[in-house]
Amino acid sequence: MTLFMRLFAAAFLTVFAAVSASAEADTVSDICAEAEARYVELMGHPSAEAAGVTVVTMYKYNFCPARITVPVGTTVRWVNVDKRTSHSVLVKNSGEPESDRVFAGENIEFTFMLPGPQDYLCGPHWEVQNMIGRVTVVP
């Protein structure tokens, strides 16, 4: 393979990787925008207006947002806004069991009392659908 062909292949792979990453980000961004619209449709107000909790929606095998930072003592409310799929939440290393499955409009709550990163997942969808999130709890 000539030097030109190697340089061309390297440049092509770099551009392809950047376009793929951008398309994936747009897709997740679009999914989360749809999730917020579904939340408003179901709850009658934006998720940011939920009193006393931080809301994470569950939609199309995604947590929206998948990563959040909250102070110690914050209650996170995961709300399923999917139409036909049930989800659960398991906060890894919390000592708590996996939640029951919830359907459209139902929610799961967990109060974070220990600082540090806390990974969580959807029991039925983490392995195949990569439905995983993280709450970083700060003092």
Side-chain angles (χ1 to χ4, degrees), residues 2-79:
T2 68
L3 177 61
F4 173 77
M5 290 176 68
R6 282 186 282 186
L7 290 173
F8 178 78
F12 175 79
L13 290 174
T14 301
V15 170
F16 179 76
V19 169
S20 294
S22 175
E24 183 177 322
D26 289 342
T27 301
V28 171
S29 178
D30 292 344
I31 288 170
C32 289
E34 288 176 29
E36 181 63 19
R38 284 278 301 147
Y39 181 91
V40 171
E41 181 183 315
L42 291 167
M43 303 302 172
H45 58 83
S47 62
E49 294 178 6
V53 297
T54 298
V55 172
V56 174
T57 57
M58 299 180 282
Y59 186 64
K60 293 187 177 180
Y61 307 109
N62 286 274
F63 290 111
C64 294
R67 294 180 177 268
I68 60 173
T69 300
V70 300
V72 168
T74 298
T75 298
V76 174
R77 177 182 295 156
W78 290 273
V79 180

Side-chain angles (χ1 to χ4, degrees), residues 71-121:
V72 168
T74 298
T75 298
V76 174
R77 177 182 295 156
W78 290 273
V79 180
N80 184 351
V81 297
D82 262 317
K83 292 183 180 182
R84 295 176 191 86
T85 304
S86 65
H87 297 290
S88 69
V89 173
L90 171 62
V91 179
K92 295 171 68 176
N93 303 319
S94 70
E96 296 294 321
E98 179 181 346
S99 72
D100 291 335
R101 289 188 181 200
V102 294
F103 294 87
E106 297 179 332
N107 66 73
I108 299 157
E109 291 186 357
F110 186 86
T111 302
F112 289 87
M113 299 306 293
L114 298 174
Q118 308 276 327
D119 293 327
Y120 65 90
L121 54 86

